[in-house]
Amino acid sequence: MPFLPSLPDPAHLSDLYARFPDNVQPLMVYTDGLLRGEGELSIGERELIATYVSALNACTFCAGAHRAYAEVFGIDAGLIDALIADPATAPVDEKLRPVLAYVAKLNTLPSRLVARDAQAVYDAGWSETALYEAVQVCALFNMMNRIIEGTGINFDYAKTPEGHHATGTTPEEQADSYSRFGEMVAAMAKG
């Protein structure tokens, strides 16, 4: 049940943002830039990080939503399941493994990050730019997971995966999906 009585049950993020639209559009523009813009990490890898961080935080809404995007951008569903079940044995590309280890530690024990954690990312062939992209995705999804969990958003894509608008689409159709989501919410808020 949502924690805000003005929200429907089940509540979707769009319901929350339509009810409280201030600052949604700039957040969606930032999210588009981070998750859809040019980067050293592929769009699929950034969406995988969003999914992974959300799963670590037990945010089923975000984990389900970003899983759908990760799959659209070429990440295998079996890899996502394996990563969430056991990161140590998941068939993750060895180059990506230290990036995922870094965001997992940043997510749960940020004060325990040390230079060797970053060095492992660099040793795998990534640049500072890639590490900063991963840090930003992790940080964004810590914030988003807390907005979702803190307000009791309870729509579950695992129960209705076909309900995600990205299902069955192409990467080109999802190129600016967050900005379009923000525009949709703005229209909902106006009534």
Side-chain angles (χ1 to χ4, degrees):
M1 184 169 95
F3 303 143
L4 304 178
S6 62
L7 297 179
D9 189 11
H12 190 281
L13 181 61
S14 59
D15 299 315
L16 176 69
Y17 281 172
R19 173 74 178 86
F20 301 99
D22 292 347
N23 302 310
V24 171
Q25 193 59 31
L27 177 61
M28 294 300 102
V29 169
Y30 171 76
T31 304
D32 252 348
L34 178 58
L35 294 178
R36 296 293 183 268
E38 292 295 317
E40 188 169 332
L41 294 167
S42 72
I43 293 172
E45 289 165 337
R46 285 177 268 164
E47 286 289 357
L48 177 63
I49 292 168
T51 305
Y52 183 49
V53 167
S54 297
L56 291 173
N57 288 329
C59 182
T60 57
F61 177 85
C62 288
H66 294 280
R67 175 192 181 101
Y69 286 130
E71 290 176 11
V72 166
F73 287 96
I75 303 296
D76 182 77
L79 170 63
I80 296 169
D81 292 337
L83 179 62
I84 291 168
D86 184 3
T89 61
V92 174
D93 182 312
E94 287 306 311
K95 184 175 180 182
L96 192 58
R97 193 170 296 283
V99 174
L100 294 169
Y102 193 96
V103 297
K105 193 171 186 181
L106 175 60
N107 187 64
T108 57
L109 298 167
S111 64
R112 298 230 175 124
L113 282 168
V114 294
R116 75 176 163 269
D117 296 317
Q119 192 60 51
V121 174
Y122 304 141
D123 289 348
W126 297 104
S127 70
E128 288 180 350
T129 300
L131 180 57
Y132 186 55
E133 289 170 7
V135 166
Q136 287 182 90
V137 174
C138 181
L140 175 63
F141 281 89
N142 270 271
M143 181 186 82
M144 292 306 302
N145 297 161
R146 277 136 186 89
I147 289 171
I148 297 295
E149 296 301 317
T151 59
I153 298 301
N154 59 346
F155 186 91
D156 187 352
Y157 283 111
K159 293 180 182 173
T160 57
E162 68 285 350
H164 194 285
H165 68 275
T167 303
T169 64
T170 66
E172 295 76 23
E173 292 170 308
Q174 296 304 319
D176 61 351
S177 53
Y178 298 105
S179 293
R180 283 187 286 116
F181 177 75
E183 291 165 2
M184 178 197 73
V185 167
M188 288 172 62
K190 289 179 183 175

